[in-house]
Amino acid sequence: MNLAEQLQGLYQKFGELPGISIELHKQLIAVAVENKAAKATIFLQGAQVAEYQQKGQQKGQQPLLWLSDQCDFKAGKPLRGGIPICWPWFGNLECNPEQVKSQFPADALAHGFVRGREWNLDSIEHVDPSTTELVLSLNVLPDAQWPFAAKLQLKVSVAEQLTLEFTVINTGDKPFSFTSALHTYLNISEIEAVSVSGLEGIRYLDTLNEWKPETDEAPVCIDGEVDRVYQNLEKAVRLSDSGFKRTILLDADNAPDMVVWNPWQDKAKRLSNFADDAYQRMICLESAHVLDNLKSLEPGESFVMKMSVTQED
Ligand code: TA6
């Protein structure tokens, strides 16, 4: 089905719904959602939530998610920003245990392949004037890259808080293992103005220092490149931003790990679709299950991980 036919089908199915717009951003289709509580944009490619902003005088100031102004909206190329879905592996080979590593080709791109695939928009429901629920799905068929079969589903709730519920079902006849992350890019006033609490005393692996295990008793402040895998969190995480005078709460179910990442100056220059100074306006707090927290599904079994982002008063 070509782009025009896809758009036509989406207009027919969803175009008349209040607060819903079907949009074309160069080569990519998106659905824009607006209700009493918030507005959001979700791209069908990768089922990628790209934008989310609450409404209201105080809360309505700044988007909660960061999206690069250098996105080129090309088919097959994940957007830089929002919430990419990293599956069936997080990171690259070195980030994964043997059980997962052995399932994908050595030259595989980081963060799996589903963030570059076209998902299906199954349904949109206005649960109430302040809550809109979208369901997107992707059938993964065995191929040379990943010889297993799965059905993925992402349920996105756009409301006072943004909630993502990611489901994996093993629809094949072979068991498979996977790691995954909801790679959330948060929009911040400036990198020196933020700190992350809720990770104090939690063991993390410093991927920039040979994955050495560390702990930090203080809230996380960023004054250089940070790329840490915090393992087995014990509570929700809060990002305090003194510049935007707000706190963003991230909570998750069945995502025991969190990756904290800021590329800082040097890596920023090497990243695609990323301005050299963009590291000052974003931080990634990624709800995940990686390494020892890999998941394995027998045929017919399913896995659900959930995360929510909201701006506290
Ligand atoms: O989650 C952190 C990380 O693995 C970083 O090391 C960096 O590579 C980032 O993801 C972005 O990866 P991407 O493939 O989207 O450029």
Side-chain angles (χ1 to χ4, degrees):
M1 191 180 346
N2 66 33
L3 218 42
E5 289 162 339
Q6 260 194 290
L7 282 167
Q8 188 59 31
L10 290 164
Y11 288 136
Q12 281 167 353
K13 198 170 176 189
F14 303 110
E16 298 303 312
L17 288 172
I20 298 297
S21 310
I22 305 297
E23 300 178 339
L24 180 62
H25 296 250
K26 296 188 181 167
Q27 297 178 1
L28 300 182
I29 294 175
V31 54
V33 178
E34 184 159 1
N35 58 39
K36 270 182 67 180
K39 56 185 180 180
T41 308
I42 299 96
F43 281 77
L44 270 57
Q45 177 173 275
Q48 189 163 351
V49 181
E51 296 170 312
Y52 170 72
Q53 182 163 356
Q54 291 165 297
K55 286 186 168 175
Q57 188 47 38
Q58 195 279 332
K59 289 190 173 181
Q61 303 305 315
Q62 295 290 340
L64 265 70
L65 302 181
W66 177 85
L67 184 70
S68 173
D69 55 12
Q70 296 192 354
C71 288
D72 42 26
F73 301 100
K74 274 193 187 138
K77 189 171 180 190
L79 297 179
R80 173 73 65 194
I83 309 179
I85 298 174
C86 304
W87 191 87
W89 60 85
F90 165 78
N92 50 32
L93 272 177
E94 77 201 43
C95 301
N96 281 277
E98 196 45 48
Q99 212 170 330
V100 174
K101 230 186 269 186
S102 59
Q103 290 176 167
F104 59 88
D107 60 350
L109 292 175
H111 298 330
F113 51 78
V114 299
R115 58 178 180 158
R117 296 230 178 134
E118 189 80 359
W119 291 49
N120 190 61
L121 177 58
D122 296 344
S123 64
I124 301 177
E125 184 191 351
H126 286 305
V127 177
D128 62 46
S130 299
T131 308
T132 308
E133 266 185 10
L134 300 90
V135 176
L136 298 99
S137 64
L138 177 71
N139 276 315
V140 178
L141 300 176
D143 63 17
Q145 178 168 280
W146 199 72
F148 305 96
K151 173 160 185 180
L152 308 185
Q153 183 184 78
L154 183 77
K155 186 185 284 184
V156 182
S157 173
V158 178
E160 268 297 319
Q161 67 180 18
L162 174 68
T163 305
L164 277 66
E165 185 177 286
F166 177 54
T167 301
V168 179
I169 304 167
N170 184 343
T171 52
D173 57 6
K174 290 184 288 185
F176 59 72
S177 301
F178 60 95
T179 55
S180 46
L182 297 173
H183 197 295
T184 306
Y185 285 77
L186 295 172
N187 178 42
I188 59 176
S189 58
E190 56 175 347
I191 194 65
E192 286 84 0
V194 302
S195 66
V196 179
S197 62
L199 297 170
E200 296 85 344
I202 300 293
R203 180 182 190 263
Y204 68 85
L205 303 178
D206 184 350
T207 73
L208 302 174
N209 185 13
E210 296 169 357
W211 294 72
K212 263 179 63 183
E214 305 278 0
T215 53
D216 192 344
E217 295 307 325
V220 182
C221 296
I222 310 287
D223 58 5
E225 183 179 355
V226 167
D227 197 340
R228 300 176 179 176
V229 180
Y230 284 83
Q231 298 183 296
N232 303 313
L233 274 57
E234 292 162 359
K235 55 187 169 185
V237 170
R238 282 179 170 77
L239 175 86
S240 301
D241 184 338
S242 57
F244 284 161
K245 297 181 175 47
R246 71 182 181 188
T247 299
I248 298 178
L249 172 71
L250 287 100
D251 208 352
D253 282 334
N254 214 9
D257 306 321
M258 176 169 277
V259 179
V260 178
W261 175 59
N262 182 280
W264 207 250
Q265 292 160 343
D266 294 344
K267 183 155 186 177
K269 293 187 177 85
R270 302 196 300 271
L271 287 170
S272 60
N273 304 115
F274 196 90
D276 288 356
D277 65 349
Y279 72 93
Q280 295 176 356
R281 297 182 296 280
M282 54 66 70
I283 184 170
C284 280
L285 299 180
E286 309 161 30
S287 303
H289 62 92
V290 296
L291 298 170
D292 305 347
N293 288 321
L294 68 94
K295 298 293 175 189
S296 299
L297 295 180
E298 292 294 325
E301 286 189 329
S302 61
F303 159 83
V304 183
M305 115 168 139
K306 203 170 167 182
M307 62 84 78
S308 62
V309 183
T310 189
Q311 177 174 320
E312 297 190 314
D313 292 323

